[in-house]
Amino acid sequence: MTHTGAPHPFLTEDHETYRSQLRRFVQKECDPHIEAWEQAGELPRSLQLKAAEAGVLGIGFPEEYGGTGDDDPFYQTIMAEELARSGSGGLIASLVSHRIGSPPIAANGTQDQKERFLRPVMEGTKIAALAITEPGGGSDVASLRTTALLDGDHYIVNGSKTFITSGMRADFITVAVRTGGSGMGGVSLLVVEAGTPGFTRSPLQKMGWWCSDTATLYFQDCRVPVANRIGEENRGFKAIMENFNNERLMLCAQAWGFGQVCYEEALAYARDRQTFGQPLIARQVIRHKLTDMKMKLDAIKAQLDLLCWQIRQGHMPVAEICLLKNLSTGALEWIAGESVQIFGGAGYLRGAKVERIFRETKVLSIGGGATEIMKDLASRQLGY
């Protein structure tokens, strides 16, 4: 974060209090354990309870079901930025997987669904996930093939999903299925509960995000109650697209947060590291790398704050969010790479935050819609 002494134009004392609260949570409950969680390949479920108590889980969700009731996007970006200080993308992905799995329930679910599938997630006693991507296709939601055929008061679900964050440990999974004809008009959303007969899952090994369990899900004649359908039948596509906008904004905030960590770590190392009788930061080439990092980070943060302000005014700048996702994730790849370069051999060793972030940069450029998709979506939104 920049420290110019000037007040932030959009943030209040309440925002900064929340930031301090989350920073304490990360320092106390996360930082000392990240390496152990990375080795274990998952987070302890007890962390969900601590996160709920610290105010991590409820931001933006209905107050009557355990959320904060405040949909101010600045609280959401602060949450992403502060969790990023752990240097672990897997921590964010898994700890708050409900931020992509639960919004359709909060926005379109019945009172009963919110009591069953939302409240326990807000309390930290249950874990939620989202399942859209399939082995045969990524972001092409309108072409998904997992089917759900109506049979009395149940749907019979057949198909598979992959790259599902928290896929192994989630208690509730919001699953996109085809209940109608081809295209976006035949898509619905169902909540599939852990333990449902015919529902199985297998873990996936990844380049990064090690402490976030990721899975392929399989549905074979899986009977899901009609009561678990979110919203109207064949009307799920719109809810998915609305979900994507917020997910992409949070990915922008994460990219900035991780870039800021790399910058701070590289700056501290350059000041401390002695080379040929001088600190590393005495070298002009190193100072230029650091100033280029700050230049990129300040530009990204300015645009991120502006988009949050526009959303708070009731607008949804879809094209600009897509463009910022590309700008922020591309900048992060460069910043992380240059940070490892400044660290030299020490940046290639496990345990350094810059090493982990460098390994994990590419997933932010892919998740929520790859760079190429973001360009195409932005260009169509802009009318060319």
Side-chain angles (χ1 to χ4, degrees):
M1 177 176 287
T2 54
H3 296 284
T4 62
H8 192 288
F10 307 130
L11 299 186
T12 66
E13 185 177 342
D14 287 342
H15 287 115
E16 296 303 342
T17 298
Y18 180 63
R19 184 186 298 280
S20 298
Q21 180 176 316
L22 260 61
R23 188 163 299 190
R24 290 193 299 271
F25 166 76
V26 171
Q27 290 172 344
K28 178 182 178 183
E29 303 294 350
C30 302
D31 283 347
H33 311 293
I34 291 294
E35 284 302 318
W37 295 341
E38 288 276 288
Q39 289 301 312
E42 64 178 359
L43 302 178
R45 293 184 73 98
S46 59
L47 187 64
Q48 300 293 139
L49 294 170
K50 296 175 181 178
E53 184 178 352
V56 175
L57 306 184
I59 290 295
F61 288 95
E63 189 173 7
E64 58 267 37
Y65 297 101
T68 63
D70 191 336
D71 60 358
D72 181 349
F74 283 105
Y75 283 108
Q76 299 179 46
T77 56
I78 288 170
M79 182 267 296
E81 292 165 6
E82 289 305 312
L83 291 181
R85 297 192 68 82
S86 68
S88 171
L91 171 72
I92 300 178
S94 194
L95 183 63
V96 295
S97 60
H98 71 288
R99 296 208 65 82
I100 56 175
S102 297
I105 301 171
N108 303 291
T110 64
Q111 183 175 344
D112 175 68
Q113 289 171 344
K114 292 173 184 178
E115 285 289 350
R116 290 192 293 139
F117 305 135
L118 189 59
R119 185 181 298 281
V121 172
M122 297 295 99
E123 294 171 345
T125 59
K126 299 290 184 180
I127 296 169
L130 177 71
I132 304 292
T133 303
E134 298 184 345
S139 299
D140 187 6
V141 179
S143 298
L144 64 85
R145 299 180 180 180
T146 298
T147 60
L149 301 179
L150 190 60
D151 180 32
D153 58 357
H154 284 75
Y155 286 101
I156 309 300
V157 180
N158 283 283
S160 60
K161 302 289 181 178
T162 196
F163 308 142
I164 309 307
T165 300
S166 293
M168 292 301 297
R169 68 191 195 123
D171 302 287
F172 311 129
I173 303 180
T174 302
V175 183
V177 295
R178 183 160 301 286
T179 50
S182 61
M184 65 184 70
V187 176
S188 298
L189 290 173
L190 300 178
V191 177
V192 179
E193 300 172 65
T196 301
F199 169 42
T200 57
R201 35 194 172 180
S202 60
L204 297 171
Q205 302 299 313
K206 312 178 296 300
M207 178 189 299
W209 282 13
W210 293 351
C211 66
S212 171
D213 68 288
T214 307
T216 296
L217 315 181
Y218 307 93
F219 307 96
Q220 184 173 3
D221 295 331
C222 182
R223 295 182 64 85
V224 179
V226 172
N228 284 21
R229 188 188 68 224
I230 304 170
E232 297 180 44
E233 188 175 78
N234 300 327
R235 297 292 181 90
F237 186 83
K238 183 174 183 290
I240 294 170
M241 292 301 104
E242 291 172 347
N243 209 27
F244 270 141
N245 290 326
N246 189 67
E247 178 185 2
R248 290 162 184 160
L249 188 70
M250 292 305 100
L251 290 172
C252 295
Q254 288 180 45
W256 181 86
F258 287 125
Q260 185 69 20
V261 169
C262 287
Y263 167 69
E264 292 176 4
E265 292 281 307
L267 176 59
Y269 185 82
R271 285 172 169 164
D272 183 65
R273 171 67 167 161
Q274 296 290 316
T275 60
F276 304 100
Q278 288 184 304
L280 190 60
I281 201 167
R283 315 298 172 185
Q284 185 184 59
V285 66
I286 299 299
R287 296 199 303 273
H288 285 187
K289 287 179 187 292
L290 291 165
T291 54
D292 282 344
M293 290 180 194
K294 179 172 171 52
M295 174 182 67
K296 294 175 186 290
L297 287 167
D298 285 355
I300 291 165
K301 192 64 166 71
Q303 179 68 349
L304 177 61
D305 285 347
L306 177 60
L307 295 184
C308 286
W309 180 84
Q310 291 176 341
I311 292 170
R312 195 166 65 180
Q313 307 310 306
H315 304 285
M316 181 51 70
V318 176
E320 289 76 10
I321 290 174
C322 293
L323 295 175
L324 183 60
K325 181 179 182 294
N326 283 358
L327 178 64
S328 60
T329 56
L332 174 61
E333 292 184 27
W334 182 85
I335 291 169
E338 290 302 295
S339 297
V340 171
Q341 191 72 23
I342 289 173
F343 268 72
Y348 197 69
L349 297 179
R350 290 281 305 280
K353 286 185 178 181
V354 296
E355 181 271 337
R356 187 188 305 117
I357 293 172
F358 180 69
R359 274 191 289 110
E360 296 181 343
T361 56
K362 185 54 72 174
V363 70
L364 296 185
S365 300
I366 297 171
T371 302
E372 297 77 10
I373 293 173
M374 293 298 93
K375 289 180 181 180
D376 187 58
L377 179 55
S379 66
R380 286 188 277 118
Q381 289 286 321
L382 294 170
Y384 54 83

